[in-house]
Amino acid sequence: MALLQIAEPGQSTAPHQHRIAIGIDLGTTHSLVATVLSGKPKVLQDDKDRVLLPSIVHYTKDLTTFGYEAKPFMLTDPKNTVVSVKRFMGRSQADIKFQHPYTLVGAENEMPAFETAAGRKTPVEISAEILKQLKDRAEASLNNPVNGAVITVPAYFNDSQRQATKNAGQIAGLEVLRIINEPTAAALAYGLD
């Protein structure tokens, strides 16, 4: 299957320039990053050969930990350990009807912020920190800067949730090329054999 690079007239890169794009599955419990190398999709690993990054962020006053390092704090410090942040993306405080251990602040009709030891953190900021970890993993694995990213979201995400995800990508330093529904991404992956 041939992939085409489409660009606006006069804005395409020179043929010898290599631009690297990544695909990110920003998951509720785990996230991962992949790219296409020599026509084959490849999931990128961290320095310990793990492909998954638990979508967990733990805050203290002076330190932020992510993924596997943050996981033990889920039981010992749940108010400062944010898990499943995707469930809060693009939702107002009034929309959040499920139970959680967090102290949320903000107006009823706005996306809330989490009260943490490091201060108030919005779901967009927390998601951006997870995306930044994945971007850093990709750049270390590929030994090149990442030029863009495609991020998957659940098919049921509304426009506000999609925009919040895009904003998180931009805060993480990514040029968000597309926001794609997870079922669409699965269909595309299946089409790539």
Side-chain angles (χ1 to χ4, degrees):
M1 175 179 173
L3 298 176
L4 299 175
Q5 179 73 27
I6 300 172
E8 294 294 323
Q11 294 182 357
S12 62
T13 58
H16 64 280
Q17 287 181 322
H18 295 284
R19 293 175 45 97
I20 296 175
I22 55 175
I24 295 176
D25 177 14
L26 181 61
T28 305
T29 56
H30 291 87
S31 298
L32 59 83
V33 60
T35 193
V36 176
L37 296 172
S38 302
K40 302 246 185 237
K42 177 179 170 46
V43 178
L44 303 176
Q45 302 171 331
D46 66 7
D47 57 356
K48 295 181 181 166
D49 297 329
R50 300 176 294 204
V51 295
L52 293 177
L53 174 70
S55 301
I56 304 169
V57 182
H58 176 255
Y59 295 100
T60 64
K61 187 175 180 184
D62 302 316
L63 184 66
T64 304
T65 53
F66 307 91
Y68 292 101
E69 289 74 29
K71 210 170 186 178
F73 298 106
M74 289 170 52
L75 295 175
T76 60
D77 191 11
K79 288 192 181 290
N80 291 304
T81 308
V82 182
V83 298
S84 302
V85 69
K86 187 164 134 178
R87 297 173 68 201
F88 297 85
M89 289 289 283
R91 296 177 127 182
S92 70
Q93 191 150 329
D95 293 337
I96 300 168
K97 305 285 187 217
F98 50 88
Q99 287 191 337
H100 56 80
Y102 311 111
T103 303
L104 300 178
V105 293
E108 281 291 307
N109 61 345
E110 294 177 348
M111 190 171 13
F114 294 81
E115 193 69 62
T116 72
R120 293 181 176 179
K121 301 286 182 179
T122 67
V124 172
E125 292 170 323
I126 297 166
S127 295
E129 295 194 49
I130 295 167
L131 290 169
K132 177 82 168 86
Q133 293 297 306
L134 294 169
K135 176 185 181 228
D136 292 347
R137 175 188 293 189
E139 290 180 340
S141 179
L142 300 169
N143 285 330
N144 275 303
V146 170
N147 300 102
V150 174
I151 303 172
T152 63
V153 296
Y156 62 80
F157 261 27
N158 63 28
D159 288 340
S160 175
Q161 291 168 305
R162 290 171 192 277
Q163 187 60 49
T165 304
K166 187 173 184 177
N167 292 347
Q170 291 167 340
I171 292 169
L174 293 165
E175 179 186 348
V176 180
L177 304 171
R178 295 274 188 281
I179 298 290
I180 297 181
N181 289 339
E182 289 164 353
T184 304
L188 289 169
Y190 182 78
L192 290 172
D193 299 324

